[in-house]
């Protein structure tokens, strides 16, 4: 996906931009600061709202549902299943998206239009969030507001660091997500779930592979997590806590015996946006509550 996107767009790190004239890269300034933005990616939409620039939004994708007002924006589909016609019908002057946006044929259509495209890497750590806040602040020509947001962000990071530094234990955590009617999927290394667990002072029990893999009953029992972390959507899809605790293998874990299930909102937990330090603080408290 990223290779194909690079073929369609001109690279300007950390902002990747296509101007109206092929081969020309625009640097955001007041003269060309966008006023009609379609935002693709819940974390990027959150940044726009956190900067107080939501009045420039004319649409967003379905992962953009925070703050609640964002749900009222016209939707252009899921970030990986966008419609060029739907986006262009909103007459945007700029499409701001993360590097998970797609599919590639739609990106090619958008790149061929007169609309400016700006793509930012999906953040997976605190530095990535900081880069995206600065990049969006530069794009919208509000760098001072971005600096103020980063000060608040870093204050919460400092609070989180102080809390985890005082703790000697690292609860063993298994992050699980529902994947249709098949086996539950669990998060290994190099995932957003692994990153947020580590930030919150926990230990991801799945460290033998990267990405997500199906959970077998044998593996669930062998991992022996103290806590099972799930999204609120996964908990609903599983039929509630009692149903989740009966999943073969999971029912044999310390987490199931002690009923240590922590549900959190998907975007808050895994979005890696302005709220991530606060989300990690919240998760830390819940990991260490009895």
């Amino acid at each position: 996906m990223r290779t194909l996107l690079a073929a369609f767009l001109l690279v300007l790190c950390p902002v990747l931009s296509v101007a109206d004239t092929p081969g020309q890269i625009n640097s955001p300034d007041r003269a060309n600061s966008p006023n009609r933005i379609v935002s693709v990616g819940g974390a990027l939409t959150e940044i726009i709202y956190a900067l107080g620039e939501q009045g420039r939004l004319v649409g967003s994708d379905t992962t953009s549902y925070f703050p609640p007002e964002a749900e009222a924006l016209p939707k252009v589909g899921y970030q990986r299943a966008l419609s060029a016609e739907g986006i262009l019908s909103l007459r945007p002057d700029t499409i701001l998206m993360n590097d998970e946006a797609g599919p590639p044929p739609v990106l090619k259509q958008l790149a061929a239009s007169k609309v400016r495209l700006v793509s930012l890497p999906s953040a997976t750590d605190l530095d990535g969030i900081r880069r995206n806040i600065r990049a969006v602040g530069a794009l919208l020509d509000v760098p001072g507001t971005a600096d103020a947001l980063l000060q608040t962000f870093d204050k919460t990071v400092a609070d989180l660091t102080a809390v985890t530094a005082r703790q000697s234990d690292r609860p063993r955590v298994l992050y699980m997500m529902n994947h249709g009617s098949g086996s539950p999927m669990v998060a290994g290394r190099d995932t957003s779930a692994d990153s947020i667990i580590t930030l919150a002072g926990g230990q991801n029990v799945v460290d033998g592979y990267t990405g997500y893999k199906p959970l077998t009953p044998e593996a669930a029992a062998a991992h022996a997590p103290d806590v099972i972390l799930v999204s609120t959507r996964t908990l609903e899809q599983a039929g509630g806590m009692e149903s989740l605790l009966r999943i073969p293998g999971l029912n044999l874990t310390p987490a199931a015996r002690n009923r240590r299930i922590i549900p959190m909102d998907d975007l808050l937990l895994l979005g890696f946006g302005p709220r991530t330090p606060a989300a990690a603080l919240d998760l830390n408290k819940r990991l260490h509550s009895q």
Side-chain angles (χ1 to χ4, degrees), residues 200-242:
Q203 176 185 355
N204 184 4
V205 298
V206 182
D207 62 0
Y209 57 81
T210 60
Y212 286 84
K213 288 189 177 181
L215 179 68
T216 65
E218 296 78 15
H223 288 315
D226 301 314
V227 177
I228 298 169
L229 179 63
V230 296
S231 70
T232 51
R233 182 172 55 182
T234 288
L235 189 61
E236 292 170 2
Q237 291 173 337
M241 185 173 296
E242 297 304 324

Side-chain angles (χ1 to χ4, degrees), residues 26 67 79 88 102 131 202:
N26 285 343
Q79 62 182 355
L88 296 176
R131 285 193 296 269

Side-chain angles (χ1 to χ4, degrees), residues 2 20 51 56 58 80 91 108 114 197 258 270 273:
R2 295 181 186 181
D20 290 350
L51 293 173
R56 307 194 199 199
V58 295
R80 293 191 179 97
R91 297 182 294 107
K108 187 174 182 179
K114 294 295 185 179
I197 290 169
N258 297 316
L270 304 180

Side-chain angles (χ1 to χ4, degrees), residues 17-272:
S17 174
V18 168
D20 290 350
T21 303
Q24 176 185 350
I25 299 176
N26 285 343
S27 297
D29 57 33
R30 191 168 299 278
N32 66 6
S33 184
N35 290 305
R36 294 185 61 83
I37 301 170
V38 169
S39 178
V40 178
L44 295 178
T45 304
E46 278 196 41
I47 291 172
I48 293 173
Y49 273 89
L51 293 173
E53 298 297 320
Q54 60 270 22
R56 307 194 199 199
L57 288 167
V58 295
S60 67
D61 74 313
T62 56
T63 71
S64 300
Y65 57 81
F66 185 88
E69 308 91 87
E71 288 197 277
L73 290 169
K75 297 302 178 186
V76 297
Y78 178 58
Q79 62 182 355
R80 293 191 179 97
L82 301 172
S83 161
E85 292 77 12
I87 291 173
L88 296 176
S89 71
L90 297 174
R91 297 182 294 107
D93 55 42
T94 302
I95 301 166
L96 175 64
M97 58 189 175
N98 61 35
D99 55 9
E100 297 180 11
V106 169
L107 299 183
K108 187 174 182 179
Q109 284 181 271
L110 295 174
S113 75
K114 294 295 185 179
V115 178
R116 183 184 185 192
L117 304 183
V118 179
S119 178
L120 299 177
S122 297
T124 57
D125 57 24
L126 297 177
D127 284 341
I129 300 170
R130 292 185 183 100
R131 285 193 296 269
N132 283 349
I133 289 173
R134 292 190 187 98
V136 176
L139 174 70
L140 303 182
D141 194 32
V142 288
T145 308
D147 287 342
L149 176 58
L150 284 168
Q151 288 180 5
T152 302
F153 181 90
D154 286 335
K155 171 62 170 62
T156 310
V157 172
D159 293 342
L160 173 65
T161 302
V163 168
T164 56
R166 294 193 298 265
Q167 296 165 337
S168 58
D169 62 321
R170 298 182 64 208
R172 292 169 49 80
V173 183
L174 176 74
Y175 177 78
M176 187 183 74
M177 62 181 287
N178 204 339
H179 193 66
S181 58
S183 300
M185 305 290 286
V186 292
R189 300 189 315 274
D190 298 335
T191 60
S192 296
D194 180 69
S195 295
I196 196 71
I197 290 169
T198 303
L199 272 177
Q203 176 185 355
N204 184 4
V205 298
V206 182
D207 62 0
Y209 57 81
T210 60
Y212 286 84
K213 288 189 177 181
L215 179 68
T216 65
E218 296 78 15
H223 288 315
D226 301 314
V227 177
I228 298 169
L229 179 63
V230 296
S231 70
T232 51
R233 182 172 55 182
T234 288
L235 189 61
E236 292 170 2
Q237 291 173 337
M241 185 173 296
E242 297 304 324
S243 296
L244 189 145
L245 290 172
R246 289 195 295 269
I247 292 176
L250 282 184
N251 59 340
L252 302 177
T253 64
R257 288 196 298 271
N258 297 316
R259 304 178 66 82
R260 297 292 312 281
I261 312 294
I262 299 179
M264 292 184 69
D265 175 74
D266 302 54
L267 184 57
L268 175 64
L269 185 65
L270 304 180
F272 275 76

